[in-house]
């Protein structure tokens, strides 16, 4: 026991100070919120749309502008490589969550999307949040980046946010995966088991739009097809910092 305590003292303070302090360093390959500059696009060439595996990119011929749906985006950066330099770039901005689906569509000089939940619901829930996580056919990447928030480096519990085993003890659901047909009824029943008022958070491209499985006959293209969604968190998978920002926005801490 003494050796364990000694080792712990030697480790020092490991928990990130975010949001009271700076955000932790992000990996060099991190792909954050996309930025669009249609003026640098070779308009009509369609190369970015052709390489996108989820049809997240469109060129609006009428407005002559690029549109990138970050809710469908896998953040693979293939469009960035295929397009003219600077037309599409992936920034270091980790704040991707939005309370509206439409705000996830990025255009030229688009502002950060509004995050958070309905003010009345936020007042009712207060600064504590208990969530039941539902993997609705996910590959376990979004689940892993959510689970890591419980480690000493992130210590999600210090904000009063916890994951619980039973929907009866939850304030809402955190959903990952494209919602397969086999999980549709289970998700719906879990949602109805959560007492009102409640929130639903869709984490990852699959839970928002179906991700790479969109329009497959065995999936329902995301959580919103089955239950109402209050907060969307893009990514494939979202970085733990992106998920943390969304959860803090839900309880009014940013």
């Amino acid at each position: 026991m003494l050796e364990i305590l000694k080792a712990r003292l030697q480790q020092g303070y490991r928990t990130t100070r975010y949001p009271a302090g700076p955000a932790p360093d992000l990996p060099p390959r991190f792909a954050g919120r996309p930025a669009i500059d249609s003026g640098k696009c070779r308009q009509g060439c369609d190369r970015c749309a052709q390489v996108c595996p989820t049809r997240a990119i469109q060129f609006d011929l009428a407005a002559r502008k690029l549109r990138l749906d970050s809710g469908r985006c896998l953040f693979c950066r293939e469009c960035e490589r295929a397009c003219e330099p600077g037309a599409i770039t992936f920034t270091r901005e980790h704040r991707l969550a939005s309370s509206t689906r439409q705000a996830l569509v990025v255009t030229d000089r688009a502002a950060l999307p509004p995050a958070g939940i309905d003010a009345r619901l936020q007042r009712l829930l207060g600064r504590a949040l208990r969530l039941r996580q539902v993997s609705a056919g996910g590959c376990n990447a979004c689940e892993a980046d959510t689970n890591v928030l419980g480690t000493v480096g992130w210590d999600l519990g210090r904000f009063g946010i916890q994951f619980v085993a039973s929907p009866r003890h939850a304030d809402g659901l955190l959903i990952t995966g494209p919602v397969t047909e086999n999980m549709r009824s289970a998700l719906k029943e879990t949602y109805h088991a959560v007492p009102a008022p409640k929130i639903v958070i869709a984490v990852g491209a699959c839970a928002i739009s179906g991700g790479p499985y969109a329009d497959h006959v065995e999936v329902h293209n995301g959580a919103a097809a089955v239950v109402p969604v209050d907060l969307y968190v893009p990514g494939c998978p979202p970085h733990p910092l992106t998920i943390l920002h969304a959860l803090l926005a839900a309880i009014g801490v940013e």
Side-chain angles (χ1 to χ4, degrees), residues 105-189:
V105 178
V106 179
T107 56
D108 290 71
R109 295 180 293 279
L112 282 176
I117 60 175
D118 179 77
R120 177 179 174 276
L121 180 58
Q122 195 175 83
R123 287 195 301 271
L124 288 171
L125 294 176
R127 297 304 268 294
L129 194 60
R130 304 292 182 267
L131 295 170
R132 176 68 170 93
Q133 200 272 324
V134 179
S135 177
C139 69
N140 205 42
C142 292
E143 294 87 342
D145 275 2
T146 299
N147 290 342
V148 80
L149 293 175
T151 63
V152 67
W154 299 92
D155 191 16
L156 185 64
R158 66 195 161 113
F159 301 109
I161 305 173
Q162 295 179 338
F163 291 99
V164 295
S166 171
R168 299 290 185 189
H169 301 158
D171 299 308
L173 302 180
L174 186 147
I175 303 170
T176 56
V179 188
T180 60
E181 175 57 24
N182 285 342
M183 280 299 298
R184 183 186 62 82
S185 61
L187 173 59
K188 186 177 292 187
E189 289 175 17

Side-chain angles (χ1 to χ4, degrees), residues 215-247:
D215 298 328
H216 190 282
V217 294
E218 290 297 326
V219 304
H220 291 273
N221 290 357
V226 180
V227 296
V229 175
D230 300 288
L231 193 58
Y232 302 88
V233 189
C236 186
H239 190 277
L241 185 60
T242 297
I243 302 172
L244 178 60
H245 162 257
L247 296 178

Side-chain angles (χ1 to χ4, degrees), residues 34-92:
I36 302 293
D37 187 345
S38 298
K40 295 181 180 178
C41 172
R42 184 183 293 175
Q43 299 180 1
C45 79
D46 208 32
R47 285 181 303 182
C48 56
Q50 290 177 19
V51 299
C52 180
T54 58
R55 303 186 302 279
I57 306 172
Q58 294 180 338
F59 184 78
D60 188 333
L61 287 173
R64 305 190 69 78
K65 290 185 182 298
L66 283 169
R67 296 164 58 87
L68 192 156
D69 185 350
S70 65
R72 297 180 69 97
C73 182
L74 303 185
F75 293 77
C76 64
R77 308 185 89 143
E78 286 299 314
C79 58
E80 185 179 42
R81 289 184 278 269
C83 207
E84 294 296 311
I88 302 174
T89 55
F90 286 83
T91 69
R92 307 287 290 174

